[in-house]
Amino acid sequence: MYWLYKTEPEECSIDDFASTPDKAIIWEGVRNYQARNFLRAATLDDLVLIYHSSCKLIGLAGIARVVKTAYPDPSQFNPGSIYFDGKSKTEQPRWSAVDLVFVEKFPALVPLDKLKRSSKLEQLALVQKGSRLSVMPVQPDEWQVMLAMAKQE
DNA sequence: GCCAACGTTGGC
DNA sequence: GCCAACGTTGGC
């Protein structure tokens, strides 16, 4: 399966993946139920487009791969974490995390407005008005369209 | 920094 | 179960 995950690059960017290519990075802190459900649907070796948001250069930055499927997000139990959730119980964790590893960084970032201008990406939640979903599925044809954009620059 | 759109909370 | 108030997201 294919996915798109949003991240603020100051928090976790494609360069963080690229600088530690052999290290699994935990994708934690997702605190939205719809996004969480998509996280839980990931299977081993799924590919993930890494999208940089809330920053100067907004768009697709590269690709990562799922190396560990959903497990309880440890940050929900850590009172020192900004992601701490006191209402989540150990015996029934509310939030999930996955582990990702670096695959590639695009030679040039694919900007959001370019994604918006493609008629083939209209179904993608990312480009829909008001959408705040941070973890979303990508259809195979959408994946191909976005990869082609990444290669041609 | 602004603000529209959205999700969550909590009183009723 | 409704819905107003509030907090958050995220592009601009």
Side-chain angles (χ1 to χ4, degrees), chain A residues 33-45:
Chain A
Y33 287 102
Q34 196 183 357
R36 180 206 67 182
N37 292 343
F38 283 132
L39 264 193
R40 290 180 175 175
T43 60
L44 204 60
D45 292 327

Side-chain angles (χ1 to χ4, degrees), chain A residues 9-48:
Chain A
E10 285 168 19
E11 173 76 10
C12 177
S13 76
I14 194 68
D15 289 323
D16 294 326
F17 280 97
S19 63
T20 57
D22 299 320
K23 192 173 148 233
I25 291 183
I26 179 173
W27 202 267
E28 63 182 359
V30 170
R31 295 292 180 268
N32 166 283
Y33 287 102
Q34 196 183 357
R36 180 206 67 182
N37 292 343
F38 283 132
L39 264 193
R40 290 180 175 175
T43 60
L44 204 60
D45 292 327
D46 281 358
L47 294 175
V48 179

Side-chain angles (χ1 to χ4, degrees), chain A residues 4-140:
Chain A
L4 187 154
Y5 292 4
K6 287 184 194 170
T7 178
E8 301 187 9
E10 285 168 19
E11 173 76 10
C12 177
S13 76
I14 194 68
D15 289 323
D16 294 326
F17 280 97
S19 63
T20 57
D22 299 320
K23 192 173 148 233
I25 291 183
I26 179 173
W27 202 267
E28 63 182 359
V30 170
R31 295 292 180 268
N32 166 283
Y33 287 102
Q34 196 183 357
R36 180 206 67 182
N37 292 343
F38 283 132
L39 264 193
R40 290 180 175 175
T43 60
L44 204 60
D45 292 327
D46 281 358
L47 294 175
V48 179
L49 280 165
I50 301 299
Y51 173 87
H52 287 176
S53 72
S54 297
C55 57
K56 204 135 197 177
L57 287 170
I58 298 167
L60 301 174
I63 298 175
R65 180 168 52 87
V66 175
V67 290
K68 185 176 180 185
T69 56
Y71 60 97
D73 180 345
S75 67
Q76 70 195 306
F77 303 123
N78 175 6
S81 169
I82 54 167
Y83 301 124
F84 178 66
D85 181 353
K87 293 182 193 158
S88 185
K89 300 275 172 265
T90 322
E91 58 272 23
Q92 198 180 5
R94 194 180 278 194
W95 306 112
S96 298
V98 300
D99 286 356
L100 302 179
V101 74
F102 179 70
V103 174
E104 70 171 292
K105 177 183 177 178
F106 295 146
L109 180 129
V110 180
L112 174 61
D113 66 292
K114 186 164 183 177
L115 302 176
K116 282 183 176 169
R117 278 187 264 114
S118 169
S119 60
K120 292 174 180 165
L121 297 177
E122 285 168 356
Q123 299 303 309
L124 194 65
L126 183 78
V127 301
Q128 283 164 13
K129 187 178 159 76
S131 173
R132 307 193 326 199
L133 194 60
S134 62
V135 175
M136 69 193 76
V138 172
Q139 300 309 312

